[in-house]
Each structure stands twice: as C-alpha cells, then as structure tokens.
Amino acid sequence: MTTPTAPLSQDELKTLVGQAALQYVVPGEIVGVGTGSTVNKFIDALASMKDQIKGAVSSSVASTERLKALGIPVFDANEVNALAVYIDGADEIDGQGHMVKGGGAALTREKIVAALAKQFVCIADASKLVDVLGHFPLPVEVIPMAAGQIARRFEAMGATAALRLKDGQPLVTDNGQHILDVHGLTITAPLAFESEVNQWPGVVTVGVFAHQKAHVCLLGTATGVKTIAY
Ligand code: 5RP
C-alpha cells in the first residue's frame, strides 16, 4: 500500500516554479528579474548559476538587495538595450497571458524592465490563474496629488479605490509615488482597459499587463509545473 503524499503547499509550488524558470535564463547574458515572494524563490535558485550569467536588471529595491546579497551583479536598466528574458510573478493571469501585477508595489519598474525583454516568463502558483482579471484588487501607481480624482474615475466605473497604507501612512513606492488598490472591477477587455487608464492624468502605471503580457507561464500545480505558452 502506498502512503498518500500531502499536497504541495503554496510556498513549495513557488519554489518549484522559481527553480523551473532557470531553464529560460540565457548563459552569458543579463536576466530581467521581477519582484515578490515567487521571484524571491527564483533569485535564490539563480544563485546556483550566478557564474554563468553577467548579472541582472532588477525591478525593485527589494529584489536588488536580494540579488546583491547572493553575489549577483545588478545593472541599471539604462545600461542595457535589450534582455533575452524577464522573469516575474503575477497576482492574476488569464488564459491569454494578460496579468494583474503590483501586489508588491513594484509595477512601474516591472513594466519598464519587462519592456526591455524579448520574452516575459511568468512564474505563479495555480491560485493565480483566473478566467477574468479583476478579482484581485488592481494596483495603480499614482502621483499623490491626483489620487482623489483617479479614485473618483474608478468609482464612476462602479469600483472602489483605496490608498494603500503601510504602518498607517500612505505606502511610498520605490519611485516616491502612491498606490491605489481598486476593488470591484471585472476586466473583460484588458488591452483597452490598460490603454484607457494609462492616459488618465496622474496615473504612473496601471497594474494590468496586457500590452506586455506573458509569453510563457510556468504554473505550479498539484501535479507539477505546467508550461503554458501564449
Ligand atoms: C509585485 C508583483 C508580484 O509579481 C505579484 O504581487 C506576485 O507576488 P507573489 O509572488 O509574492 O505572489 O507584481 O509588484
């Protein structure tokens, strides 16, 4: 009789996909690195091949610190013209590879580094896969003086927007701005939605990644890592 094995925890699934992403890292090149608990697993795994890469371009102060602590050189985004691959997590990913990101408040730099990359590899546990984006509160980085009017625009859409707080004060991003978390959206047309919100005055970055969707998702499931190409 075989002993039933316990299902993998969410943390173990994150470790699995973080390790699986190593196969997309191109030896001799600089890799784009995202932000978050799943990416932290990737960064830890990347340390095992640090002698085979030139280094990384990072999407946040937190990832930069982790990379440097492991001895991985970090380049400024302005030092590179292109990256072969950008590896990052997501708060939600749909069946076309469109994502909601920014749960870690790093969405602006994530979009900037992703825009340098030929390929976006999303690493996520199965809880992130959705039919329609919007259940996870949508992060929007905003210039503080515009937060009120941007919140009212979302309210006119039937949603509610809350300023993200840290220790009772507005959270300040790596770029010195604030984050609105927007509840109650159903984003059925992610490309159009991203384009529209992006042009509202005071919006720095909307956390819908549709114009820069994933090319591949490494999804951690109960039966192992599933590779989904879009
Ligand atoms: C940070 C992000 C992250 O990729 C997203 O929040 C997922 O994080 P985690 O891997 O911790 O679930 O967009 O801004």
Side-chain angles (χ1 to χ4, degrees):
M1 202 175 100
T2 53
T3 318
T5 48
L8 294 177
S9 67
Q10 191 179 29
D11 192 64
E12 288 167 326
L13 293 176
K14 289 180 182 187
T15 302
L16 269 188
V17 294
Q19 290 169 343
L22 288 184
Q23 65 190 292
Y24 289 87
V25 176
V26 182
E29 298 222 1
I30 298 172
V31 58
V33 175
T35 299
S37 57
T38 315
V39 165
N40 284 346
K41 305 289 193 180
F42 166 66
I43 294 173
D44 294 349
L46 189 62
S48 69
M49 60 181 291
K50 68 178 171 193
D51 296 333
Q52 296 170 54
I53 57 168
K54 276 193 195 147
V57 173
S58 163
S59 64
S60 64
V61 172
S63 288
T64 296
E65 284 173 356
R66 196 175 189 97
L67 287 157
K68 286 185 172 171
L70 290 166
I72 300 169
V74 177
F75 292 82
D76 188 280
N78 287 305
E79 293 181 88
V80 301
N81 294 329
L83 297 166
V85 65
Y86 175 66
I87 293 170
D88 199 357
D91 298 303
E92 291 184 332
I93 183 162
D94 73 10
Q96 284 75 48
H98 306 131
M99 295 166 285
V100 162
K101 292 181 46 52
L107 63 164
T108 297
R109 295 188 186 198
E110 290 172 344
K111 249 183 212 187
I112 292 168
V113 185
L116 285 171
K118 295 190 182 80
Q119 193 178 33
F120 189 137
V121 176
C122 176
I123 50 177
D125 64 86
S127 70
K128 308 292 183 67
L129 187 64
V130 297
D131 290 332
V132 180
L133 302 177
H135 185 69
F136 186 92
L138 175 70
V140 183
E141 185 165 359
V142 300
I143 304 284
M145 71 175 284
Q149 62 172 273
I150 293 166
R152 288 191 293 278
R153 282 186 186 252
F154 281 116
E155 279 154 22
M157 288 177 159
T160 53
L163 196 60
R164 193 181 299 181
L165 302 179
K166 187 181 177 191
D167 302 328
Q169 296 297 318
L171 177 142
V172 178
T173 68
D174 287 351
N175 313 305
Q177 312 303 337
H178 290 170
I179 298 280
L180 286 174
D181 289 308
V182 186
H183 299 249
L185 293 167
T186 304
I187 306 169
T188 51
L191 279 165
F193 182 93
E194 182 181 4
S195 296
E196 183 190 339
V197 176
N198 260 336
Q199 52 81 38
W200 293 353
V203 168
V204 179
T205 302
V206 56
V208 171
F209 283 55
H211 290 282
Q212 286 167 259
K213 68 177 196 166
H215 298 94
V216 174
C217 179
L218 302 177
L219 194 72
T221 74
T223 52
V225 178
K226 192 173 160 193
T227 303
I228 307 167
Y230 305 99

